[in-house]
Amino acid sequence: MWDAWWVLAAAVAVFGLAGVVKGVVGLGLPTVSMALLALFMPAGQAAAWLLLPSLVTNVVQMRPMPSLRPLLRRLGWMQLGIVAGTVGGMLWWGPVGEAAVARTALGVALVIYALWGLWGPGLQLPQRHQAWLGLLCGLLTGGITALTGVFVVPAVAFLQSLALGRQALMQAMGLCFTVSTLALGAGMALAQGPGHAASSWTGWGATALVSALMLLPALAGMAWGERLRQSLSPQVFKRVLMLGLLALGIYMCARG
C-alpha cells in the first residue's frame, strides 16, 4: 500500500510530466495523467484529482477568445454530445472507475488512441456531415469519458478530420477538453451525491484541495513544454508519447 505522501509525490511528478506533454503537442494531460495515476490509485480518485489541472490548462489553450465564437458554432452539436454522453454515462455506470470493466476500458482507450496517433489515416469529412457526426462523436467521447476519465477518443480524430489550421485545431481541442472536464465534474457530483466521498481521502473538500495543488506542476510542466516545442520536433515527441501510451494500454488490458 502506497503511503499517502508518496502518492502525493508521485502525483506531482505525473502532473508535471503530463503538463510537459500538453505543452509540446497540445494534448495528452488527461490521457497521460489517468494512465499513470491508475497504476497506483483508483481511477475515480485519479479523475477527481485531474479536474482542476485539466480545466485550467484547457482554458489557457482556448485562447485567443475572440476567435472562439466561430468554433463554438461549428462544434456546438459535438459539445452537446460530450455533455450528454459524459453525464448520462456516469449516471448509468456510476462514478469513473466503478464499472467492472473500467480498467480494461481505459487500456483499450489508450491502445486505440495510440494506434490512431501512430498510424491513423488523414481523413477529411465533408462539411454537410460534420454536425450529425459531431454529435455522434461527442456522445461516444462522453461515454468513454464516463467509463475511463479519458476524453481524447474519438474526439481528437474527429477534430483532425475537419481540416482546421494548426491554431484553430489547438483551440478546438482546448474547447472540447474544457467541456469534457466540466461535464466530468458535473457527472461525478450527480453520480456520487453531495454527501458521498469523492475519493479514498476525506471527500470533496480534500479532493478539491489536492486537485488545486496538482495544478501547479501541471502549469509548470506546460510552460516548460511550450518552450521545448521551439527546439524539439513535435512529430518525434508525439511518436515516442504514443508508443509509451500503447505500452501502458496493453499492460492495463493484460491486467484487466
Side-chain angles (χ1 to χ4, degrees):
M1 180 67 68
W2 284 62
D3 178 82
W5 292 109
W6 283 109
V7 170
L8 275 176
V12 167
V14 166
F15 278 103
L17 174 62
V20 172
V21 171
K22 186 171 182 65
V24 173
V25 298
L27 71 161
L29 188 142
T31 313
V32 173
S33 299
M34 285 297 297
L36 295 178
L37 292 175
L39 296 176
F40 56 87
M41 69 172 62
Q45 182 178 347
W49 287 16
L50 174 65
L51 288 177
L52 279 177
S54 177
L55 178 62
V56 173
T57 55
N58 286 318
V59 168
V60 170
Q61 188 173 325
M62 281 198 300
R63 299 171 302 170
M65 295 303 174
S67 60
L68 190 60
R69 183 174 294 181
L71 276 177
L72 278 171
R73 286 198 297 266
R74 187 172 183 181
L75 301 174
W77 285 107
M78 183 184 184
Q79 308 316 304
L80 288 175
I82 287 172
V83 173
T86 304
V87 176
M90 294 183 75
L91 290 175
W92 182 264
W93 291 310
V96 174
E98 289 197 2
V101 296
R103 189 180 184 89
T104 302
L106 176 56
V108 171
L110 290 174
V111 169
I112 293 172
Y113 175 55
L115 290 176
W116 181 273
L118 288 167
W119 297 294
L123 301 177
Q124 186 168 341
L125 291 176
Q127 190 162 358
R128 65 182 182 276
H129 297 311
Q130 290 176 9
W132 72 268
L133 282 174
L135 176 62
L136 177 60
C137 176
L139 288 168
L140 288 173
T141 300
I144 292 171
T145 300
L147 199 58
T148 68
V150 172
F151 37 76
V152 295
V153 181
V156 171
F158 176 79
L159 294 176
Q160 289 173 333
S161 73
L162 301 182
L164 299 170
R166 178 179 174 83
Q167 179 57 38
L169 177 61
M170 296 282 284
Q171 196 172 22
M173 288 193 296
L175 170 63
C176 291
F177 298 162
T178 297
V179 171
S180 292
T181 304
L182 292 172
L184 182 64
M188 290 174 66
L190 290 172
Q192 293 178 321
H196 194 285
S199 70
S200 61
W201 283 43
T202 57
W204 281 107
T207 300
L209 176 61
V210 174
S211 185
L213 290 174
M214 294 303 111
L215 179 59
L216 299 177
L219 285 174
M222 186 177 179
W224 188 30
E226 288 173 344
R227 288 197 296 269
L228 279 177
R229 190 193 301 168
Q230 309 304 319
S231 58
L232 185 66
S233 166
Q235 290 77 18
V236 172
F237 186 88
K238 183 179 179 182
R239 179 166 290 273
V240 173
L241 169 65
M242 294 301 167
L243 288 171
L245 291 178
L246 179 62
L248 268 176
I250 293 172
Y251 171 74
M252 288 184 170
C253 290
R255 286 189 60 182

